[in-house]
Amino acid sequence: CIRDRSRTWKIMILIMKEIKMNKPYVIAEMGVNFYDTARVMGISPLDAAKLYIDKAAEAGIDCAKFQSYKAGTIVSKNSPAYWDTTKEPTKTQYELFLKHDSFGEAEYRELCDYTHAKGMDFTSTPFDYASADYLEDMVDFYKISSSDLSNLPFIHHIGSKGKPVYISVGAAYLSEVDVAIRVLKEAGCKDIVIFHCVLSYPTEPKNANLRIIETLKKDFPDVRVGFSDHVAPDDTMMTLAVAYMLGAEVIEKHFTLDKTLSGNDHYHAGDPEDFKKAIANFKWIDTVLGSDVKTVLDCEIVPRREARRSLVITRDMKAGEVIKSEDLMPKRPGTGISPEYVEIVVGRKVVRDLEEDTILTWDMI
């Protein structure tokens, strides 16, 4: 079953590369936001996580993503906060991670099965080797955090597992991105997505630097490029729309059911309505972008005929008279001889009597 699912995923990736999708692949980063929702709703974290999956599926999201870690293996106990402490007052990373690390292999397997039953893909970012290993037969692809971009042995370990790898490159120089991608390729990874990302929570719009998407597409032409967004949602979800227009094939954004909740990731996350707006934007953009083949559209056939010009005679003419240049004027509609043939028409004779303002056709000369 696992092999079949992996084979299906690879086929889908090939299809996605060959056809024009009507929206990017959208990932809802559940992270650990569901812990706060569980607290305020008085339900278990596992039930809250499933509720997040339900709402993501209803919004039309493609993939539910979680985070797998233990506080003791991800951070030293005195590691300081780097987030907005007015939104999340926890002073050390260890304290924050300790509040959200109760899930293990059994819980993620249940969430994996639940997500797949809802018709979405499942993944979880591993932050240690143990997590990376037990997630192997669950995730449809691996996600590597920006924080592990320089953790090259870990990147190699994940890349060697034969699955697609999506990697965020926030707070990195281009040379560091290049090294990480080389390590993935050397490990045998054949399917890579680089996420442009700004490692700041929240990211101010002026710091989004979405043109980096174009830079990554140019410098890494053999991999796909996406955008992992930390800009707070706006009413139109324009940040994600611009990212898509610049070529992001995969979009990842933190997901919450309540943006007013306290906690590290709620205040810059999107709720289900935000995601619905973003997905509608992607489809609209694809609609208005249309095709890159310049041709006459069906909707233009009648206007093309009626709005273009034909050669029209400026006086009454008798059969046998020779047409002079002053006898012609280009006028609408374009149902007669086009003005582009004026030099061919001048000097020819009319074959029958014609009234002034007659639209010339080839059978008249």
Side-chain angles (χ1 to χ4, degrees):
C1 178
I2 293 166
R3 285 196 300 270
D4 288 345
R5 192 172 68 214
S6 176
R7 189 179 303 113
T8 300
W9 170 255
K10 291 175 182 177
I11 293 171
M12 285 298 294
I13 289 295
L14 290 173
I15 294 172
M16 287 171 66
K17 288 180 177 180
E18 292 298 325
I19 66 175
K20 182 177 174 64
M21 303 300 288
N22 66 353
K23 69 177 182 66
Y25 182 82
V26 179
I27 302 170
E29 163 66 289
M30 312 298 188
V32 292
N33 278 346
F34 57 90
Y35 279 97
D36 299 312
T37 299
R39 173 176 49 80
V40 299
M41 293 184 68
I43 60 178
S44 72
L46 190 61
D47 285 340
K50 290 180 178 179
L51 180 60
Y52 270 51
I53 293 167
D54 291 339
K55 296 302 181 182
E58 291 172 10
I61 290 163
D62 299 298
C63 177
K65 188 181 91 65
F66 294 86
Q67 295 178 7
S68 299
Y69 58 74
K70 294 297 179 183
T73 61
I74 191 174
V75 67
S76 62
K77 292 184 177 180
N78 296 316
S79 187
Y82 60 91
W83 48 81
D84 185 345
T85 53
T86 65
K87 304 290 186 181
E88 168 52 71
T90 307
K91 299 302 181 184
T92 71
Q93 293 182 52
Y94 181 77
E95 291 176 87
L96 182 68
F97 287 124
L98 194 61
K99 293 191 293 187
H100 304 127
D101 75 345
S102 65
F103 282 9
E105 180 176 357
E107 289 80 7
Y108 288 115
R109 190 171 297 280
E110 187 168 343
L111 291 178
C112 169
D113 293 341
Y114 191 82
T115 301
H116 286 149
K118 289 290 180 176
M120 291 189 297
D121 292 334
F122 171 84
T123 194
S124 184
T125 301
F127 286 89
D128 53 54
Y129 287 88
S131 298
D133 290 342
Y134 74 63
L135 286 170
E136 184 172 355
D137 67 350
M138 302 182 208
V139 298
D140 292 294
F141 59 89
Y142 277 103
K143 170 68 196 300
I144 297 176
S145 165
S146 294
S147 61
D148 277 318
L149 191 68
S150 62
N151 191 357
L152 299 182
F154 188 55
I155 290 174
H156 189 277
H157 182 73
I158 291 175
S160 67
K161 291 182 176 294
K163 294 213 167 197
V165 175
Y166 295 15
I167 183 167
S168 287
V169 295
Y173 295 106
L174 196 60
S175 59
E176 295 174 307
V177 179
D178 183 60
V179 171
I181 299 306
R182 288 175 186 270
V183 169
L184 281 174
K185 291 179 177 178
E186 289 167 2
C189 186
K190 304 295 185 184
D191 192 347
I192 301 170
V193 174
I194 303 175
F195 279 116
H196 167 51
C197 174
V198 177
L199 199 61
S200 176
Y201 305 89
T203 299
E204 293 294 328
K206 66 181 180 181
N207 291 327
N209 282 351
L210 292 180
R211 290 195 184 279
I212 297 300
I213 294 169
E214 295 178 312
T215 299
L216 294 172
K217 289 177 74 71
K218 175 174 61 71
D219 289 351
F220 300 93
D222 58 340
V223 305
R224 290 180 291 149
V225 173
F227 175 51
S228 182
D229 181 36
H230 295 143
V231 177
D234 61 79
D235 290 340
T236 60
M237 298 302 289
M238 192 54 61
T239 302
L240 298 185
V242 174
Y244 179 44
M245 291 184 70
L246 290 173
E249 298 177 57
V250 184
I251 295 289
E252 176 186 65
K253 186 168 182 64
H254 283 267
F255 184 83
T256 182
L257 300 186
D258 185 352
K259 291 181 284 189
T260 67
L261 286 177
S262 61
N264 189 40
D265 289 329
H266 294 284
Y267 57 90
H268 61 83
D271 62 21
E273 291 305 311
D274 292 324
F275 274 81
K276 288 177 184 177
K277 287 179 186 176
I279 291 169
N281 285 344
F282 300 145
K283 292 180 178 179
W284 173 252
I285 289 168
D286 198 69
T287 298
V288 297
L289 286 179
S291 169
D292 60 1
V293 177
K294 180 56 182 164
T295 187
V296 178
L297 301 176
D298 290 344
C299 65
E300 295 179 306
I301 291 174
V302 172
R304 170 187 167 91
R305 184 185 67 228
E306 302 302 331
R308 287 198 169 191
R309 301 196 184 211
S310 302
L311 294 175
V312 177
I313 62 171
T314 59
R315 63 183 180 88
D316 292 342
M317 298 189 71
K318 298 293 185 180
E321 284 193 77
V322 175
I323 301 172
K324 301 176 183 177
S325 58
E326 57 265 29
D327 295 329
L328 300 173
M329 181 178 290
K331 294 184 180 182
R332 298 182 183 186
T335 53
I337 300 173
S338 170
E340 65 184 302
Y341 300 116
V342 65
E343 292 183 1
I344 297 174
V345 173
V346 170
R348 296 202 177 199
K349 297 176 182 179
V350 297
V351 297
R352 60 177 181 266
D353 293 350
L354 300 174
E355 294 181 354
E356 177 190 353
D357 212 39
T358 294
I359 298 170
L360 284 180
T361 56
W362 290 110
D363 62 339
M364 296 178 184
I365 62 172

